[in-house]
């Protein structure tokens, strides 16, 4: 459709042509886990954040009293367990409880006027599909069809100086990784599930995540996955050492942070691990001596992003740590999975050896980028990396082909490490923008949406190596802001996201392209304006009865009467109550 608008300021006007937004693996055997089938596991407790004025916000005594009161109200035996790094309180429930019972406890807390939010301490699970057990087999790095074009990036960066925290099952000793391991931490609170006898400690060793049928809410046996070690090997396995595989950022350092064990891991433990890995403070845990530049989370569960996850992620990004997450393995919309649906993360879908979206991979508008995740229906089409040969406890180092978005995410984490090594000043938002803007079109197909396309390591690192770490545009004249901006509900003042243009001569063109990617659950609530450097405004979209999700569109603005250089702003207003969202990214193309 087309529309006209007036750039409001004196008598100056502009014509705006508006492009309409678009309309709306086999039963597991040894070494396998079902793809896309997550065990139904009750939440382990409740996370509660109190308003600042509430006594329970700071007082342990008051928090204990709250446990008694809410337990009496719901017929459950609650206890105050600890304070999270975000300040929220963790309450655990004695005995086995159903998810419905946990939800009743959440409702009891939500009804308390002193409570800012309450949510289940849910579990997430390793997102991989282990299969059977060196550089020549790593098609995902070098093949021209659907590899990530890593060798060309090694001319400029090998990851030296960068630290990548792998929040996963921990680390099992492997000679192809040992030289690149720095001290990590074990954040698994449950001693029984951790299998180390003491819960949280400074030893992130992977004790095995195996379980038997009838445990963890599932009806099948599952061997140990050594998932965290496989992920770590993709990122930073030693290279040019005459054995094994090559890591993407093979001179980077891996910080193993154990958050998954028998039956997965909990929101509370993972949120604290995100905070610690990025250099934040966690009560009772020593400070991280080597805060990570990049966090990889190849894990997830169903649901939308919780406040606990989002607060921890926001803190990490605010400290300068890029957060990379797996989109999920359920062949479903990633918007319904966590942490894939969180803001301020780089969400990664998986592609196969032919460059299609892998059959299991989640998809959708929350996906930022695709990377090789493999398909093990043909074993060697999986992703080869470091594992252990034991089916339960460690037995000896080995290598194995796995598939999953768990395998795709560390490709992007490794790429981010190459970029940070090349330019330590890169911000998380700039890392994301460079990865997306230098992606190539998927060679195959992707129904549902795979973000910007297939990540290209050579092009991305070349862009970073060229001093392209500020706001200067690539050669095509496109300026992008990928920093997420939350859009408050029912707020007619609106929020703005800036792009500073410099080094251009004369005025902007008569066909200035304004591309927007806004995630919102009811786009009819939104009014979108472009504000020129001189203050004149062009309306791009008005509000109306449009119940579809998201605004992903490109608008054409006649800005020929406005100087090109200066700070341009995208303003977004939510003019009706009931739905929320955020500006994911936007760009100007001259």
């Amino acid at each position: 459709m087309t529309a006209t608008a007036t750039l409001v300021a004196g008598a100056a006007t502009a014509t705006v042509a508006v492009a309409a937004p678009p309309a709306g693996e086999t039963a597991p055997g040894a070494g396998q886990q079902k793809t896309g089938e997550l065990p139904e596991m009750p939440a382990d407790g409740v996370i509660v954040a109190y308003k600042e004025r509430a006594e329970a916000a700071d007082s342990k005594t008051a928090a204990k009293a709250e446990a008694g009161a809410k337990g009496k109200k719901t017929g459950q035996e609650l206890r105050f367990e600890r304070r999270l790094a975000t300040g929220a309180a963790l309450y655990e429930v004695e005995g086995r409880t159903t998810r419905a019972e946990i939800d009743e406890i959440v409702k009891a807390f939500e009804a308390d006027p002193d409570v800012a939010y309450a949510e289940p301490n849910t579990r997430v699970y390793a997102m991989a599909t282990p299969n059977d057990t060196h550089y020549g087999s790593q098609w995902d790095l070098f093949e021209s069809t659907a590899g990530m074009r890593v060798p060309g990036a090694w001319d400029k960066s090998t990851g030296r100086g960068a630290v990548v925290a792998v929040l996963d099952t921990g680390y099992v000793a492997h000679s192809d990784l040992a030289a690149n391991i720095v001290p990590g931490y074990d954040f698994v609170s449950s001693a029984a599930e951790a299998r180390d006898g003491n819960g949280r400690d400074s030893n992130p060793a992977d004790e095995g995540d195996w379980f038997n049928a009838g445990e963890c809410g599932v009806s099948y046996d599952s061997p140990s996955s050594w998932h965290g070690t496989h992920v770590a090997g993709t990122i930073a396995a030693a290279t040019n050492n005459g054995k094994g595989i090559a890591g993407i950022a093979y001179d980077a350092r891996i910080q193993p942070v154990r958050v998954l064990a028998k039956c997965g891991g909990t929101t509370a433990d993972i949120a604290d691990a995100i905070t610690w890995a990025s250099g934040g403070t966690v009560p009772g845990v020593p400070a991280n001596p080597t805060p990570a530049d990049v966090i990889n989370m190849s894990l997830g569960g169903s649901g939308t992003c919780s406040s606990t996850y989002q607060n921890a992620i926001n803190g990490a990004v605010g400290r300068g740590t890029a957060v990379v997450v797996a989109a999920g393995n359920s062949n479903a919309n990633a918007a319904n999975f966590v942490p894939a649906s969180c803001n301020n993360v780089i969400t990664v879908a998986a592609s196969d050896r032919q460059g299609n979206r892998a059959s299991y991979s989640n998809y959708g508008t929350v996906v930022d980028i695709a990377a090789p995740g493999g398909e093990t229906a043909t074993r060697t089409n999986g992703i080869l990396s470091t594992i252990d040969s034991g089916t339960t406890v460690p037995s000896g180092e080995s290598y194995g082909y796995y598939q999953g978005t768990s395998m795709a995410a560390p490709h992007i984490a490794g790429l981010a490490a190459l970029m940070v090594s090349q330019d330590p000043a890169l911000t998380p938002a700039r890392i994301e923008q460079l990865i997306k803007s230098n992606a190539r079109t998927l060679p195959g197909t992707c129904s549902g949406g795979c973000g910007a396309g297939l990540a290209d390591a050579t092009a991305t690192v070349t862009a970073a190596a060229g001093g392209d770490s500020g706001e200067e545009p690539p050669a095509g004249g496109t300026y992008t802001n990928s920093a997420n901006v939350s859009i408050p509900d029912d707020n007619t003042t609106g929020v703005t996201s800036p792009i500073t243009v410099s080094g251009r001569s004369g005025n902007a063109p008569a066909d200035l392209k304004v591309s927007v990617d806004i995630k919102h659950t009811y786009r009819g609530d939104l009014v979108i304006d472009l504000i020129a450097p001189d203050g004149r405004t062009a309306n791009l979209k008005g509000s109306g009865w449009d119940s579809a999700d998201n605004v992903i569109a490109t608008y054409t603005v006649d800005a020929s009467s406005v100087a090109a250089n200066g700070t341009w702003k995208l303003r977004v207003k939510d003019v009706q109550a009931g739905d929320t969202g955020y500006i994911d990214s936007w760009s100007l193309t001259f």
Side-chain angles (χ1 to χ4, degrees):
M1 68 179 179
T2 59
T4 58
T6 302
L7 269 168
V8 181
T13 63
T15 299
V16 181
V18 183
E25 189 191 295
T26 58
Q32 290 185 302
Q33 176 176 311
K34 290 183 179 179
T35 297
E37 181 178 332
L38 300 177
E40 292 187 4
M41 184 72 185
D44 288 1
V46 177
I47 299 170
V48 180
Y50 291 92
K51 297 175 182 177
E52 290 186 8
R53 60 178 175 82
E55 188 177 358
D58 301 303
S59 168
K60 185 176 181 179
T61 300
K64 287 182 176 180
E66 280 283 280
K70 297 302 188 294
K72 183 177 181 180
K73 183 175 181 179
T74 60
Q76 301 291 338
E77 188 175 348
L78 298 182
R79 74 172 186 275
F80 170 68
E81 181 66 20
R82 67 177 187 272
R83 196 78 63 177
L84 273 63
T86 59
L90 174 62
Y91 293 94
E92 294 201 346
V93 188
E94 296 290 351
R96 186 175 180 84
T97 54
T98 66
R99 181 57 185 267
E101 289 170 325
I102 291 291
D103 289 343
E104 286 301 312
I105 299 170
V106 169
K107 290 178 182 178
F109 276 105
E110 288 177 334
D112 190 327
D114 286 340
V115 171
Y117 66 83
E119 58 195 22
N121 183 24
T122 56
R123 286 183 171 271
V124 296
Y125 303 86
M127 285 189 163
T129 307
N131 203 329
D132 303 314
T133 190
H134 238 339
Y135 176 67
S137 298
Q138 291 182 271
W139 63 268
D140 49 304
L141 302 192
F142 61 78
E143 280 193 352
S144 59
T145 299
M148 207 173 75
R149 297 181 177 175
V150 175
W154 288 335
D155 293 338
K156 297 178 174 63
S157 178
T158 59
R160 186 175 301 279
V163 177
V164 182
V166 176
L167 276 58
D168 215 292
T169 63
Y171 166 65
V172 61
H174 202 292
S175 63
D176 212 4
L177 266 172
N180 287 338
I181 300 294
V182 298
Y185 207 83
D186 179 3
F187 276 90
V188 179
S189 297
S190 167
E193 293 176 3
R195 294 187 165 121
D196 58 5
N198 60 356
R200 287 186 174 184
D201 57 47
S202 61
N203 182 7
D206 188 341
E207 305 289 347
D209 58 352
W210 59 275
F211 57 82
N212 295 320
E215 298 182 300
C216 305
V218 298
S219 59
Y220 55 84
D221 295 337
S222 181
S224 291
S225 67
W226 317 115
H227 188 272
T229 301
H230 193 282
V231 167
T234 296
I235 298 169
T239 302
N240 297 320
N241 61 344
K243 65 171 294 181
I245 63 165
I248 292 169
Y250 57 79
D251 280 333
R253 298 293 179 259
I254 294 292
Q255 183 168 73
V257 184
R258 192 178 185 215
V259 297
L260 303 177
K262 177 184 177 181
C263 302
T266 69
T267 299
D269 287 346
I270 295 168
D272 278 356
I274 293 169
T275 300
W276 182 84
S278 59
T281 301
V282 178
V285 179
N288 185 352
T290 52
D293 302 292
V294 183
I295 288 174
N296 185 91
M297 289 196 289
S298 289
L299 47 81
S302 60
T304 56
C305 188
S306 66
S307 297
T308 301
Y309 269 114
Q310 194 62 67
N311 290 342
I313 290 166
N314 290 346
V317 171
R319 287 183 284 272
T321 302
V323 181
V324 179
V325 305
N329 296 340
S330 297
N331 186 27
N333 194 328
N336 299 317
F337 291 80
V338 62
S341 60
C342 294
N343 297 336
N344 288 329
V345 299
I346 303 173
T347 300
V348 188
S351 56
D352 63 18
R353 195 167 182 172
Q354 291 73 44
N356 305 296
R357 174 173 67 84
S359 60
Y360 54 79
S361 177
N362 287 352
Y363 50 80
T365 57
V366 302
V367 172
D368 295 298
I369 196 72
E375 289 263 21
T376 55
T378 299
R379 184 175 66 94
T380 54
N381 286 354
I383 306 300
L384 183 64
S385 191
T386 46
I387 58 169
D388 191 271
S389 60
T391 58
T392 54
V393 299
S395 178
E397 66 179 48
S398 186
Y399 299 86
Y401 291 96
Y402 286 7
Q403 71 174 33
T405 56
S406 278
M407 286 57 260
H411 282 75
I412 299 302
L415 174 53
L418 293 176
M419 298 164 69
V420 170
S421 174
Q422 187 67 41
D423 184 359
L426 287 171
T427 65
R430 187 59 175 161
I431 289 170
E432 177 180 346
Q433 186 270 320
L434 282 169
I435 291 172
K436 291 164 70 171
S437 64
N438 289 283
R440 61 191 178 105
T441 302
L442 275 168
T445 62
C446 175
S447 58
C450 288
L454 181 62
D456 187 321
T458 296
T460 303
V461 173
T462 298
D468 188 19
S469 61
E471 294 301 326
E472 290 302 311
T478 298
Y479 300 72
T480 302
N481 187 336
S482 297
N484 292 352
V485 180
S486 295
I487 304 169
D489 187 28
D490 197 14
N491 186 305
T492 56
T493 301
V495 294
T496 60
S497 175
I499 290 178
T500 300
V501 175
S502 62
R504 308 195 75 88
S505 59
N507 288 352
D511 59 347
L512 177 66
K513 297 296 188 294
V514 186
S515 298
V516 302
D517 185 343
I518 299 173
K519 305 299 192 292
H520 198 277
T521 52
Y522 194 102
R523 67 189 184 201
D525 289 358
L526 301 181
V527 175
I528 308 174
D529 299 310
L530 176 68
I531 304 176
D534 63 1
R536 283 184 279 175
T537 302
N539 177 247
L540 305 181
K541 177 192 174 299
S543 61
W545 295 102
D546 186 349
S547 62
D549 293 349
N550 310 323
V551 180
I552 303 174
T554 298
Y555 305 93
T556 301
V557 177
D558 182 353
S560 57
S561 63
V562 180
N565 291 335
T567 300
W568 298 75
K569 296 178 182 179
L570 186 74
R571 180 174 62 198
V572 182
K573 304 175 183 179
D574 185 327
V575 298
Q576 298 291 336
D579 291 84
T580 59
Y582 63 98
I583 303 171
D584 192 339
S585 64
W586 73 288
S587 64
L588 293 170
T589 300
F590 287 78

